[in-house]
Amino acid sequence: MTDLLYSEEEEALRAAVRDLLGDHCDAPGVIARAESDAPHDLAAWKALADGMGLAGLLVPEDKGGQGAGHREAAVVLEELGRFVAPVPYLTSAVVATEALLACGADDLLAELASGRRIGALAVGLHVAPGAAYPVVRHEGGALHGELTGVADAAVADVLLVPADDGGLYAVESDAVTVTPQTSLDLTRPVARIALDAAAGRLLGDADPAVRRALRAGAGLLASEQLGLADWALTETVRYLKERKQFNRPVGGFQALKHRLAQLWLEVVNLRAAARHAADALATGQDVDVAVTVAQAYAAPVAVHAAEEALQLHGGLGMTWEHPVHLYLKRAKADSIAYGTAGAHRTALAGLVDLQAP
């Protein structure tokens, strides 16, 4: 039977990442950065990727990575979710890296693993694993077309672009035009990519690479949503112990205790689903079922946790200075990232042969 509890090494990794993010991604700093023209914290990214080597967790050692696995990457994403860290970890170190692993592009893989370069899969953030995705036209040895909703494209050094000939191409960022799009989540901006006779290097077949990348992205996104929900619950409990009404802590009122107890149960169940998805990705067993179960459950819980945090912080939660709005926006954006909960429930029904009447 698989042990989904955190190992000592995973807890040590969590502590190290939390310390680093505590130094780099304090709430006022993240809010200020989100309002600027450069929302990504590249100093935090450099510390994570270069300083700690976390960009290469999914890459084998003989290909320039750390040779760890999805469970370790999941722990990192939990902490990134806890801080709503504006770094391209999920998009570069997980999604783009998984696509390159499927293609065997070792030179590019080593560059992403070292953190020297940032990669982005040029598929809209909303696309679910196994779903159809837009492609660009490959004509005359160059790429032509437009792709929208690509997360973290603004900081990517290389874009992995699927084309109509079935290939996945590596395109340098200076060969395309990247235009920011309006995004609810200011900490994970999306952009439109325009290719006008852009040169690209063929990496391999797009379909298996994109499917593998989106499946890993969806599975590990649940861990980010877990970190976000756990922060919301922890901070709300702490606040309700301190906030007094009628000369007693607000948290002592039974109606609020019931709401927090319900939320605690949801977060505990989310932890089990997210850990199962990470372990399945690591072992290769029942991956599709584990990922769809995690994503079918994760989005509603993360959104509910952020909404409860906002409401139970009262007037303070409605202010721009309090970070809870960042968490609610990330939770709402994550709820449609790599497929909605409804799309994953539909996929799950097919996987377990439980069709709707």
Side-chain angles (χ1 to χ4, degrees), residues 3-341:
D3 183 2
L4 298 182
L5 297 175
Y6 300 100
S7 66
E8 287 184 19
E9 291 81 4
E10 288 165 354
E11 290 292 7
L13 174 62
R14 178 195 308 285
V17 174
R18 190 175 296 187
D19 282 349
L20 187 150
L21 294 175
D23 292 337
H24 282 275
C25 295
D26 61 303
V30 175
I31 292 170
R33 193 175 291 282
E35 294 178 291
S36 72
D37 293 332
H40 292 95
D41 189 339
L42 294 181
W45 169 251
K46 183 174 175 58
L48 285 164
D50 188 22
M52 295 182 68
L54 299 184
L57 286 181
L58 300 181
V59 180
E61 289 184 56
D62 61 357
K63 296 184 178 180
Q66 301 300 317
H70 297 82
R71 287 176 61 125
E72 290 79 8
V75 170
V76 174
L77 279 161
E78 280 183 41
E79 294 309 307
L80 294 175
R82 193 182 307 278
F83 285 86
V84 204
V87 296
Y89 189 86
L90 182 65
T91 45
S92 182
V94 175
V95 177
T97 294
E98 286 276 358
L100 291 175
L101 283 167
C103 295
D106 291 359
D107 55 335
L108 203 47
L109 201 55
E111 291 178 345
L112 261 59
S114 68
R116 292 195 302 273
R117 306 186 83 199
I118 297 170
L121 180 66
V123 172
L125 183 62
H126 62 284
V127 177
Y133 51 89
V135 296
V136 298
R137 195 172 79 258
H138 184 260
E139 188 178 294
L143 300 169
H144 312 258
E146 189 174 276
L147 298 164
T148 59
V150 179
D152 295 333
V155 289
D157 300 300
V158 61
L159 297 159
L160 310 181
V161 181
D164 60 1
D165 64 350
L168 186 68
Y169 290 84
V171 180
E172 296 298 318
S173 59
D174 56 10
V176 304
T177 303
V178 178
T179 308
Q181 292 179 278
T182 302
S183 173
L184 176 64
D185 179 12
L186 300 175
T187 62
R188 181 176 283 147
V190 295
R192 177 185 292 106
I193 299 170
L195 300 95
D196 183 13
R201 175 166 68 101
L202 180 62
L203 300 172
D205 292 340
D207 265 347
V210 170
R211 176 171 171 73
R212 173 175 172 169
L214 296 183
R215 187 174 68 173
L220 294 184
L221 177 66
S223 291
E224 178 186 289
Q225 291 163 306
L226 167 62
L228 187 158
D230 195 49
W231 176 92
L233 174 62
T234 303
E235 283 301 301
T236 304
V237 169
R238 184 185 63 76
Y239 176 73
L240 294 183
K241 284 180 178 179
E242 296 173 356
R243 177 87 166 96
K244 290 209 167 65
Q245 193 78 40
F246 307 117
N247 207 29
R248 61 181 284 195
V250 174
F253 292 101
Q254 193 170 31
L256 298 190
K257 285 182 179 179
H258 286 171
R259 287 171 69 170
L260 292 171
Q262 175 62 35
L263 189 56
W264 181 82
L265 286 171
E266 291 178 11
V267 173
V268 167
N269 288 332
L270 173 53
R271 177 171 284 109
R275 291 295 292 167
H276 182 218
D279 186 73
L281 284 163
T283 60
Q285 296 178 344
D286 293 326
V287 182
D288 289 333
V289 170
V291 168
T292 51
V293 166
Q295 270 310 308
Y297 190 73
V301 173
V303 172
H304 182 219
E307 288 175 343
E308 288 288 75
L310 181 72
Q311 291 182 15
L312 296 179
H313 274 80
L316 177 65
M318 298 299 292
T319 63
W320 187 257
E321 290 76 17
H322 195 280
V324 70
H325 64 91
L326 294 175
Y327 291 82
L328 181 55
K329 291 168 184 170
R330 173 65 71 88
K332 292 293 283 184
D334 280 356
S335 71
I336 59 172
Y338 305 119
T340 62

